[in-house]
Amino acid sequence: KDEAYKYLLDVYVNTKNYDQAMAALDKIELKDLKLRRAYQKIAYSKGVEVFNNQKKVYGSKESGRTGYINAINYFKQSLKYPIDNQLVSLSYYWMGEANYRLGNYQESIVLFEKFKYSPAILNTEENKVIDYNIGYAYYKIAMKQSRGKTGSNNPSFNKSIEAFRKYAVSKHEDSLKLNDAYLRIADAYFIQRNFDYAADFYQKAYDVQKLNPDYALMQLAQSNGVLGKDREKIDNLTSLVTTYPTSSYLDDSFFLIGEAYFSLNELEKARTYYKALTEKGDEVASKIRQTSLVRLALIDYQSENLTGAVENFQNAIEMNPRNDLSEQALGGIQEVYTKIGDSQAYFDWYAKLG
């Protein structure tokens, strides 16, 4: 009887019919070392197959969970006969991957570290990315705990940075992952308000030029701005708008360049960028456009172009008469009319505003 199942086992293994092969193995009562080794390898191979198929045909969230849970169960079955130490370690790795995709980040870290500290993994492809994976698991935990708000001093961010930095200095050929690791290191530093280190790693990420270079430049500019390096901020943003004219950060970049020049009191340079945003009309987010109008009014006021100041203040108010920017603009219009000596004109206009 066992000989018949052994024959079937060979057939199923050769055709990669892993489920039938495991069923045949389960029916063999006396399993020698060779059969136990075969069971371990077949269960592991089936787990990898299920995992990879799940990635290819990811459907609904629920079906995604089911696929990864099934993969974990196969890896656990592989551990039933821990003959091959490398397969034991690799089972831990893939259970870590599956748990990560299920959102079980802490469990994934436990499994990844079981893999990492095993002596049987030195020559595996998985070993090349283990620190990257651990870094992401800690990053996900930290982001969930901090909700992405800056100022969060979360130990998980520090562990994420440590893991990503280990990956970055290791020997690897995947420049896309290296670029991504630099971005996540920079983001973790940025969220913790460590802007010097954030700027350093956003620059490293940008230099790789493989992943979201416009985002790296935007964040580099933001970091330099907080550090009081307005010239560097302007240079970063100017590079962004000239190099990536279709970037989703284009309007924000124009606005921030204007703001930087405004803070440096280089008002005519600031005017160029604010004006470009107001002329784009509804293509630009309303808050950016309204703020740009208020800034243009203030620039006009300082340059004694009082008619222009009134017009820009009025346009800002008409966009949204009931927010803080409109309150500021109302005060500005009143001051302009007072300076002109025609307060009645202000009251007449205000009455029409309703």
Side-chain angles (χ1 to χ4, degrees), residues 43 47 49 52 57-58 80 93 106 127 130 172 183-184 187 191 201-202 222 232 234 248 290 319 321 334 343:
E49 180 183 77
N52 287 333
V57 294
Y58 196 96
K80 185 177 176 181
Y93 174 88
Q106 195 61 56
N127 189 40
I130 190 61
H172 50 73
L183 285 174
R184 297 295 80 80
D187 286 342
I191 290 169
F201 279 93
Y202 284 128
Q222 298 276 36
E232 288 88 340
I234 291 169
S248 60
Q290 190 180 23
M319 282 192 66
Q334 192 169 16
S343 297

PDB file of all heavy atoms in Angstrom, residues 43 47 49 52 57-58 80 93 106 127 130 172 183-184 187 191 201-202 222 232 234 248 290 319 321 334 343:
ATOM      1  N   ALA A  43       5.399  20.936   0.928  1.00  0.00           N
ATOM      2  CA  ALA A  43       4.549  21.905   1.633  1.00  0.00           C
ATOM      3  C   ALA A  43       5.087  23.320   1.458  1.00  0.00           C
ATOM      4  O   ALA A  43       4.327  24.273   1.239  1.00  0.00           O
ATOM      5  CB  ALA A  43       4.459  21.542   3.110  1.00  0.00           C
ATOM      6  N   GLY A  47       3.296  26.446  -0.481  1.00  0.00           N
ATOM      7  CA  GLY A  47       3.110  27.741   0.171  1.00  0.00           C
ATOM      8  C   GLY A  47       3.589  28.888  -0.697  1.00  0.00           C
ATOM      9  O   GLY A  47       2.903  29.912  -0.846  1.00  0.00           O
ATOM     10  N   GLU A  49       3.889  28.826  -3.955  1.00  0.00           N
ATOM     11  CA  GLU A  49       2.986  28.888  -5.106  1.00  0.00           C
ATOM     12  C   GLU A  49       1.717  29.667  -4.766  1.00  0.00           C
ATOM     13  O   GLU A  49       1.290  30.547  -5.532  1.00  0.00           O
ATOM     14  CB  GLU A  49       2.623  27.467  -5.539  1.00  0.00           C
ATOM     15  CG  GLU A  49       1.674  27.415  -6.729  1.00  0.00           C
ATOM     16  CD  GLU A  49       1.286  25.987  -7.060  1.00  0.00           C
ATOM     17  OE1 GLU A  49       0.428  25.415  -6.339  1.00  0.00           O
ATOM     18  OE2 GLU A  49       1.834  25.442  -8.031  1.00  0.00           O
ATOM     19  N   ASN A  52       2.570  33.430  -4.332  1.00  0.00           N
ATOM     20  CA  ASN A  52       2.824  34.115  -5.599  1.00  0.00           C
ATOM     21  C   ASN A  52       1.560  34.248  -6.439  1.00  0.00           C
ATOM     22  O   ASN A  52       1.347  35.278  -7.086  1.00  0.00           O
ATOM     23  CB  ASN A  52       3.904  33.386  -6.383  1.00  0.00           C
ATOM     24  CG  ASN A  52       5.282  33.588  -5.783  1.00  0.00           C
ATOM     25  OD1 ASN A  52       5.537  34.597  -5.132  1.00  0.00           O
ATOM     26  ND2 ASN A  52       6.164  32.633  -5.973  1.00  0.00           N
ATOM     27  N   VAL A  57      -3.118  37.551  -8.753  1.00  0.00           N
ATOM     28  CA  VAL A  57      -4.571  37.656  -9.001  1.00  0.00           C
ATOM     29  C   VAL A  57      -5.285  38.268  -7.811  1.00  0.00           C
ATOM     30  O   VAL A  57      -6.357  37.833  -7.420  1.00  0.00           O
ATOM     31  CB  VAL A  57      -5.171  36.263  -9.326  1.00  0.00           C
ATOM     32  CG1 VAL A  57      -4.637  35.744 -10.625  1.00  0.00           C
ATOM     33  CG2 VAL A  57      -4.891  35.261  -8.198  1.00  0.00           C
ATOM     34  N   TYR A  58      -4.677  39.282  -7.220  1.00  0.00           N
ATOM     35  CA  TYR A  58      -5.265  39.891  -6.019  1.00  0.00           C
ATOM     36  C   TYR A  58      -6.630  40.465  -6.358  1.00  0.00           C
ATOM     37  O   TYR A  58      -6.761  41.385  -7.139  1.00  0.00           O
ATOM     38  CB  TYR A  58      -4.357  41.003  -5.496  1.00  0.00           C
ATOM     39  CG  TYR A  58      -4.681  41.413  -4.079  1.00  0.00           C
ATOM     40  CD1 TYR A  58      -3.986  40.873  -3.021  1.00  0.00           C
ATOM     41  CD2 TYR A  58      -5.692  42.319  -3.818  1.00  0.00           C
ATOM     42  CE1 TYR A  58      -4.281  41.237  -1.726  1.00  0.00           C
ATOM     43  CE2 TYR A  58      -6.001  42.689  -2.533  1.00  0.00           C
ATOM     44  CZ  TYR A  58      -5.295  42.145  -1.488  1.00  0.00           C
ATOM     45  OH  TYR A  58      -5.586  42.511  -0.194  1.00  0.00           O
ATOM     46  N   LYS A  80       6.434  21.094  10.015  1.00  0.00           N
ATOM     47  CA  LYS A  80       6.109  19.853  10.727  1.00  0.00           C
ATOM     48  C   LYS A  80       7.285  18.880  10.698  1.00  0.00           C
ATOM     49  O   LYS A  80       7.511  18.109  11.633  1.00  0.00           O
ATOM     50  CB  LYS A  80       4.875  19.226  10.069  1.00  0.00           C
ATOM     51  CG  LYS A  80       4.325  17.985  10.741  1.00  0.00           C
ATOM     52  CD  LYS A  80       3.057  17.551   9.987  1.00  0.00           C
ATOM     53  CE  LYS A  80       2.496  16.257  10.554  1.00  0.00           C
ATOM     54  NZ  LYS A  80       1.280  15.830   9.813  1.00  0.00           N
ATOM     55  N   TYR A  93      10.548  33.240   6.624  1.00  0.00           N
ATOM     56  CA  TYR A  93      10.576  34.450   5.795  1.00  0.00           C
ATOM     57  C   TYR A  93       9.233  34.655   5.096  1.00  0.00           C
ATOM     58  O   TYR A  93       8.654  35.754   5.145  1.00  0.00           O
ATOM     59  CB  TYR A  93      11.685  34.359   4.748  1.00  0.00           C
ATOM     60  CG  TYR A  93      11.662  35.518   3.780  1.00  0.00           C
ATOM     61  CD1 TYR A  93      12.340  36.697   4.071  1.00  0.00           C
ATOM     62  CD2 TYR A  93      10.932  35.462   2.593  1.00  0.00           C
ATOM     63  CE1 TYR A  93      12.296  37.781   3.209  1.00  0.00           C
ATOM     64  CE2 TYR A  93      10.886  36.538   1.726  1.00  0.00           C
ATOM     65  CZ  TYR A  93      11.566  37.691   2.034  1.00  0.00           C
ATOM     66  OH  TYR A  93      11.512  38.762   1.191  1.00  0.00           O
ATOM     67  N   GLN A 106       3.641  43.366  13.489  1.00  0.00           N
ATOM     68  CA  GLN A 106       4.471  42.901  14.594  1.00  0.00           C
ATOM     69  C   GLN A 106       4.816  41.420  14.433  1.00  0.00           C
ATOM     70  O   GLN A 106       5.958  41.007  14.654  1.00  0.00           O
ATOM     71  CB  GLN A 106       3.755  43.129  15.933  1.00  0.00           C
ATOM     72  CG  GLN A 106       4.671  43.005  17.152  1.00  0.00           C
ATOM     73  CD  GLN A 106       5.796  44.020  17.151  1.00  0.00           C
ATOM     74  OE1 GLN A 106       5.568  45.229  17.086  1.00  0.00           O
ATOM     75  NE2 GLN A 106       7.029  43.545  17.200  1.00  0.00           N
ATOM     76  N   ASN A 127      17.677  36.913   1.876  1.00  0.00           N
ATOM     77  CA  ASN A 127      18.557  37.559   2.856  1.00  0.00           C
ATOM     78  C   ASN A 127      18.982  38.951   2.407  1.00  0.00           C
ATOM     79  O   ASN A 127      19.280  39.815   3.226  1.00  0.00           O
ATOM     80  CB  ASN A 127      19.792  36.694   3.105  1.00  0.00           C
ATOM     81  CG  ASN A 127      20.618  37.197   4.269  1.00  0.00           C
ATOM     82  OD1 ASN A 127      20.079  37.614   5.296  1.00  0.00           O
ATOM     83  ND2 ASN A 127      21.935  37.166   4.123  1.00  0.00           N
ATOM     84  N   ILE A 130      16.073  41.369   3.630  1.00  0.00           N
ATOM     85  CA  ILE A 130      15.428  41.177   4.929  1.00  0.00           C
ATOM     86  C   ILE A 130      15.400  42.466   5.751  1.00  0.00           C
ATOM     87  O   ILE A 130      14.392  42.789   6.396  1.00  0.00           O
ATOM     88  CB  ILE A 130      16.085  40.018   5.717  1.00  0.00           C
ATOM     89  CG1 ILE A 130      15.239  39.669   6.944  1.00  0.00           C
ATOM     90  CG2 ILE A 130      17.521  40.320   6.084  1.00  0.00           C
ATOM     91  CD1 ILE A 130      13.828  39.207   6.624  1.00  0.00           C
ATOM     92  N   HIS A 172      23.847  45.216  -2.625  1.00  0.00           N
ATOM     93  CA  HIS A 172      22.611  44.887  -3.330  1.00  0.00           C
ATOM     94  C   HIS A 172      22.637  45.504  -4.711  1.00  0.00           C
ATOM     95  O   HIS A 172      23.425  46.413  -4.994  1.00  0.00           O
ATOM     96  CB  HIS A 172      21.391  45.394  -2.556  1.00  0.00           C
ATOM     97  CG  HIS A 172      21.499  46.827  -2.156  1.00  0.00           C
ATOM     98  ND1 HIS A 172      21.374  47.861  -3.046  1.00  0.00           N
ATOM     99  CD2 HIS A 172      21.775  47.409  -0.963  1.00  0.00           C
ATOM    100  CE1 HIS A 172      21.551  49.005  -2.425  1.00  0.00           C
ATOM    101  NE2 HIS A 172      21.795  48.765  -1.168  1.00  0.00           N
ATOM    102  N   LEU A 183      13.977  57.147   0.830  1.00  0.00           N
ATOM    103  CA  LEU A 183      12.773  57.959   1.026  1.00  0.00           C
ATOM    104  C   LEU A 183      12.115  57.672   2.372  1.00  0.00           C
ATOM    105  O   LEU A 183      11.666  58.586   3.073  1.00  0.00           O
ATOM    106  CB  LEU A 183      11.775  57.716  -0.105  1.00  0.00           C
ATOM    107  CG  LEU A 183      12.092  58.357  -1.451  1.00  0.00           C
ATOM    108  CD1 LEU A 183      11.090  57.911  -2.500  1.00  0.00           C
ATOM    109  CD2 LEU A 183      12.104  59.884  -1.348  1.00  0.00           C
ATOM    110  N   ARG A 184      12.028  56.395   2.726  1.00  0.00           N
ATOM    111  CA  ARG A 184      11.371  56.048   3.999  1.00  0.00           C
ATOM    112  C   ARG A 184      12.217  56.503   5.190  1.00  0.00           C
ATOM    113  O   ARG A 184      11.671  56.933   6.211  1.00  0.00           O
ATOM    114  CB  ARG A 184      11.120  54.542   4.061  1.00  0.00           C
ATOM    115  CG  ARG A 184      10.173  54.000   3.004  1.00  0.00           C
ATOM    116  CD  ARG A 184       8.742  54.522   3.151  1.00  0.00           C
ATOM    117  NE  ARG A 184       8.554  55.850   2.612  1.00  0.00           N
ATOM    118  CZ  ARG A 184       8.394  56.127   1.327  1.00  0.00           C
ATOM    119  NH1 ARG A 184       8.392  55.153   0.433  1.00  0.00           N
ATOM    120  NH2 ARG A 184       8.221  57.371   0.928  1.00  0.00           N
ATOM    121  N   ASP A 187      11.536  60.190   5.361  1.00  0.00           N
ATOM    122  CA  ASP A 187      10.192  60.443   5.883  1.00  0.00           C
ATOM    123  C   ASP A 187      10.139  60.233   7.396  1.00  0.00           C
ATOM    124  O   ASP A 187       9.500  61.001   8.125  1.00  0.00           O
ATOM    125  CB  ASP A 187       9.173  59.522   5.208  1.00  0.00           C
ATOM    126  CG  ASP A 187       8.869  59.921   3.771  1.00  0.00           C
ATOM    127  OD1 ASP A 187       9.164  61.069   3.391  1.00  0.00           O
ATOM    128  OD2 ASP A 187       8.329  59.079   3.034  1.00  0.00           O
ATOM    129  N   ILE A 191       9.110  63.163   9.954  1.00  0.00           N
ATOM    130  CA  ILE A 191       7.976  63.071  10.883  1.00  0.00           C
ATOM    131  C   ILE A 191       8.429  63.315  12.314  1.00  0.00           C
ATOM    132  O   ILE A 191       7.698  63.903  13.121  1.00  0.00           O
ATOM    133  CB  ILE A 191       7.286  61.703  10.740  1.00  0.00           C
ATOM    134  CG1 ILE A 191       6.550  61.623   9.393  1.00  0.00           C
ATOM    135  CG2 ILE A 191       6.289  61.456  11.877  1.00  0.00           C
ATOM    136  CD1 ILE A 191       6.059  60.244   9.030  1.00  0.00           C
ATOM    137  N   PHE A 201      18.811  62.590   3.596  1.00  0.00           N
ATOM    138  CA  PHE A 201      18.333  61.367   2.935  1.00  0.00           C
ATOM    139  C   PHE A 201      17.376  61.663   1.782  1.00  0.00           C
ATOM    140  O   PHE A 201      17.316  60.875   0.831  1.00  0.00           O
ATOM    141  CB  PHE A 201      17.727  60.411   3.962  1.00  0.00           C
ATOM    142  CG  PHE A 201      18.780  59.627   4.694  1.00  0.00           C
ATOM    143  CD1 PHE A 201      19.296  60.078   5.906  1.00  0.00           C
ATOM    144  CD2 PHE A 201      19.300  58.469   4.140  1.00  0.00           C
ATOM    145  CE1 PHE A 201      20.294  59.376   6.556  1.00  0.00           C
ATOM    146  CE2 PHE A 201      20.297  57.752   4.782  1.00  0.00           C
ATOM    147  CZ  PHE A 201      20.803  58.198   5.995  1.00  0.00           C
ATOM    148  N   TYR A 202      16.662  62.789   1.824  1.00  0.00           N
ATOM    149  CA  TYR A 202      15.896  63.167   0.628  1.00  0.00           C
ATOM    150  C   TYR A 202      16.847  63.464  -0.529  1.00  0.00           C
ATOM    151  O   TYR A 202      16.553  63.131  -1.686  1.00  0.00           O
ATOM    152  CB  TYR A 202      15.001  64.371   0.904  1.00  0.00           C
ATOM    153  CG  TYR A 202      13.758  64.056   1.694  1.00  0.00           C
ATOM    154  CD1 TYR A 202      13.431  64.770   2.847  1.00  0.00           C
ATOM    155  CD2 TYR A 202      12.894  63.039   1.291  1.00  0.00           C
ATOM    156  CE1 TYR A 202      12.282  64.476   3.577  1.00  0.00           C
ATOM    157  CE2 TYR A 202      11.739  62.740   2.010  1.00  0.00           C
ATOM    158  CZ  TYR A 202      11.459  63.461   3.161  1.00  0.00           C
ATOM    159  OH  TYR A 202      10.321  63.165   3.884  1.00  0.00           O
ATOM    160  N   GLN A 222      11.007  71.372   1.682  1.00  0.00           N
ATOM    161  CA  GLN A 222      10.291  71.599   2.941  1.00  0.00           C
ATOM    162  C   GLN A 222      11.246  71.518   4.132  1.00  0.00           C
ATOM    163  O   GLN A 222      11.169  72.318   5.060  1.00  0.00           O
ATOM    164  CB  GLN A 222       9.178  70.555   3.101  1.00  0.00           C
ATOM    165  CG  GLN A 222       8.107  70.606   2.027  1.00  0.00           C
ATOM    166  CD  GLN A 222       7.031  71.630   2.316  1.00  0.00           C
ATOM    167  OE1 GLN A 222       7.293  72.694   2.855  1.00  0.00           O
ATOM    168  NE2 GLN A 222       5.800  71.306   1.948  1.00  0.00           N
ATOM    169  N   GLU A 232      18.261  77.598  -0.441  1.00  0.00           N
ATOM    170  CA  GLU A 232      18.298  76.186  -0.846  1.00  0.00           C
ATOM    171  C   GLU A 232      16.896  75.689  -1.174  1.00  0.00           C
ATOM    172  O   GLU A 232      16.699  74.929  -2.140  1.00  0.00           O
ATOM    173  CB  GLU A 232      18.913  75.334   0.267  1.00  0.00           C
ATOM    174  CG  GLU A 232      20.404  75.507   0.448  1.00  0.00           C
ATOM    175  CD  GLU A 232      20.747  76.633   1.409  1.00  0.00           C
ATOM    176  OE1 GLU A 232      19.879  77.515   1.647  1.00  0.00           O
ATOM    177  OE2 GLU A 232      21.886  76.631   1.914  1.00  0.00           O
ATOM    178  N   ILE A 234      14.410  77.459  -2.375  1.00  0.00           N
ATOM    179  CA  ILE A 234      14.048  77.998  -3.694  1.00  0.00           C
ATOM    180  C   ILE A 234      14.740  77.204  -4.802  1.00  0.00           C
ATOM    181  O   ILE A 234      14.124  76.858  -5.817  1.00  0.00           O
ATOM    182  CB  ILE A 234      14.407  79.495  -3.782  1.00  0.00           C
ATOM    183  CG1 ILE A 234      13.486  80.307  -2.870  1.00  0.00           C
ATOM    184  CG2 ILE A 234      14.323  79.985  -5.232  1.00  0.00           C
ATOM    185  CD1 ILE A 234      13.921  81.744  -2.677  1.00  0.00           C
ATOM    186  N   SER A 248       2.647  66.472  -9.952  1.00  0.00           N
ATOM    187  CA  SER A 248       1.470  66.829  -9.155  1.00  0.00           C
ATOM    188  C   SER A 248       1.828  67.856  -8.080  1.00  0.00           C
ATOM    189  O   SER A 248       0.940  68.421  -7.444  1.00  0.00           O
ATOM    190  CB  SER A 248       0.876  65.580  -8.504  1.00  0.00           C
ATOM    191  OG  SER A 248       1.830  64.956  -7.655  1.00  0.00           O
ATOM    192  N   GLN A 290      -6.458  81.585  -3.431  1.00  0.00           N
ATOM    193  CA  GLN A 290      -6.931  82.678  -2.578  1.00  0.00           C
ATOM    194  C   GLN A 290      -5.776  83.300  -1.796  1.00  0.00           C
ATOM    195  O   GLN A 290      -5.677  84.532  -1.683  1.00  0.00           O
ATOM    196  CB  GLN A 290      -8.006  82.174  -1.620  1.00  0.00           C
ATOM    197  CG  GLN A 290      -8.718  83.303  -0.863  1.00  0.00           C
ATOM    198  CD  GLN A 290      -9.777  82.780   0.084  1.00  0.00           C
ATOM    199  OE1 GLN A 290      -9.736  81.627   0.519  1.00  0.00           O
ATOM    200  NE2 GLN A 290     -10.738  83.621   0.423  1.00  0.00           N
ATOM    201  N   MET A 319     -13.827  84.730  -3.598  1.00  0.00           N
ATOM    202  CA  MET A 319     -13.627  83.280  -3.707  1.00  0.00           C
ATOM    203  C   MET A 319     -14.281  82.539  -2.545  1.00  0.00           C
ATOM    204  O   MET A 319     -14.861  81.472  -2.723  1.00  0.00           O
ATOM    205  CB  MET A 319     -12.126  82.956  -3.737  1.00  0.00           C
ATOM    206  CG  MET A 319     -11.461  83.202  -5.064  1.00  0.00           C
ATOM    207  SD  MET A 319      -9.809  82.473  -5.081  1.00  0.00           S
ATOM    208  CE  MET A 319     -10.224  80.723  -4.975  1.00  0.00           C
ATOM    209  N   PRO A 321     -16.037  84.230   1.029  1.00  0.00           N
ATOM    210  CA  PRO A 321     -16.173  85.375   1.945  1.00  0.00           C
ATOM    211  C   PRO A 321     -16.131  85.011   3.427  1.00  0.00           C
ATOM    212  O   PRO A 321     -16.099  85.904   4.264  1.00  0.00           O
ATOM    213  CB  PRO A 321     -17.560  85.948   1.587  1.00  0.00           C
ATOM    214  CG  PRO A 321     -17.941  85.303   0.293  1.00  0.00           C
ATOM    215  CD  PRO A 321     -17.265  83.976   0.269  1.00  0.00           C
ATOM    216  N   GLN A 334      -9.970  97.664   4.050  1.00  0.00           N
ATOM    217  CA  GLN A 334     -10.323  98.790   4.913  1.00  0.00           C
ATOM    218  C   GLN A 334      -9.119  99.714   5.107  1.00  0.00           C
ATOM    219  O   GLN A 334      -9.241 100.955   5.063  1.00  0.00           O
ATOM    220  CB  GLN A 334     -10.827  98.272   6.256  1.00  0.00           C
ATOM    221  CG  GLN A 334     -11.474  99.357   7.108  1.00  0.00           C
ATOM    222  CD  GLN A 334     -12.206  98.760   8.306  1.00  0.00           C
ATOM    223  OE1 GLN A 334     -11.999  97.613   8.665  1.00  0.00           O
ATOM    224  NE2 GLN A 334     -13.065  99.546   8.916  1.00  0.00           N
ATOM    225  N   SER A 343     -13.270 106.239   3.056  1.00  0.00           N
ATOM    226  CA  SER A 343     -13.892 105.159   3.821  1.00  0.00           C
ATOM    227  C   SER A 343     -15.277 104.822   3.284  1.00  0.00           C
ATOM    228  O   SER A 343     -15.726 103.672   3.369  1.00  0.00           O
ATOM    229  CB  SER A 343     -13.982 105.534   5.296  1.00  0.00           C
ATOM    230  OG  SER A 343     -12.696 105.702   5.836  1.00  0.00           O
TER     231      SER A 343
END
